[in-house]
Amino acid sequence: MTPQMLPYSVLTFTPRPRDHGTNLTCQVQRDKHSVAMERTVRLNVLYAPQNLTIGISFRNITAFKILQTTSSLPILEGEAVRLLCVSDSNPPAEMSWFQGSPALNATLISSTTTLELPRVGTAEEGEFSCQARNPLGSQHVSFSLSVQRSPPPCSCMTEEQQGSWPLVLTLIRGALMGAGFLLTYGLTWLYYSRCGGHQRKRTTS
């Protein structure tokens, strides 16, 4: 058998990002009684950044979600916020944080996957963007950070601070009502005991 007549098999397919790291094995066996020979190759699929995800951590709570361009993140003024940007890509993407939109020459504020905002204030209010970039392309996601002002402290006293004052006021109110009743009864009795006696004397005379 000449080299031009050697048997061969061709596999044609379009690799996708999920195929990265998978194995392809080619096996050759002359007949069912011969020993099979095989060779395995591992796929190295290159692809642009995708599935950009932002993790949000504040108030000791961590929640991962994909933020859309219209997403809004309300944060109380003075809180500490940690933002983690993660992307799926090969080769690994370079991560960047911007205050504003990258398409509008926004200000670069960090070149790491994590953005720390130790104390959120009015200066941090507005649009933030995370961008993932490698030689095959880029992806970014933006969200709006809104700062919520803390309510002013209440100047009223709590029940614990008030102590027994409500009970004292109730007792004083009851005592005043009782005194008023006794005073009214005494004046009525005095009027009838005096004026009623004079009227009976006039009638008998």
Side-chain angles (χ1 to χ4, degrees), residues 1-20:
M1 183 178 294
T2 62
Q4 290 79 9
M5 298 179 60
L6 289 176
Y8 65 91
S9 176
V10 177
L11 173 65
T12 303
F13 74 102
T14 302
R16 292 164 294 182
R18 67 182 184 182
D19 297 322
H20 174 66

Side-chain angles (χ1 to χ4, degrees), residues 166-176:
L167 178 61
V168 173
L169 292 176
T170 302
L171 293 175
I172 292 175
R173 189 183 299 113
L176 291 176

Side-chain angles (χ1 to χ4, degrees), residues 17-96:
R18 67 182 184 182
D19 297 322
H20 174 66
T22 59
N23 294 329
L24 282 180
T25 302
C26 176
Q27 187 181 79
V28 178
Q29 189 174 16
R30 180 175 298 179
D31 55 57
K32 63 180 180 179
H33 300 291
S34 63
V35 178
M37 300 182 64
E38 63 181 34
R39 183 178 179 182
T40 300
V41 295
R42 183 179 293 271
L43 295 179
N44 183 25
V45 182
L46 305 179
Y47 54 95
Q50 60 179 9
N51 302 327
L52 192 58
T53 305
I54 294 179
I56 307 164
S57 176
F58 64 100
R59 299 182 198 166
N60 297 325
I61 300 174
T62 302
F64 285 91
K65 62 180 179 179
I66 299 177
L67 295 177
Q68 304 299 327
T69 302
T70 57
S71 296
S72 178
L73 179 61
I75 298 294
L76 285 177
E77 187 177 17
E79 277 192 326
V81 178
R82 185 181 185 187
L83 300 169
L84 176 65
C85 195
V86 181
S87 175
D88 177 24
S89 65
N90 187 39
E94 295 180 356
M95 314 302 292
S96 302

Side-chain angles (χ1 to χ4, degrees), residues 134-148:
N134 72 3
L136 299 176
S138 65
Q139 185 185 25
H140 81 274
V141 63
S142 301
F143 66 92
S144 177
L145 190 149
S146 60
V147 180
Q148 297 180 339

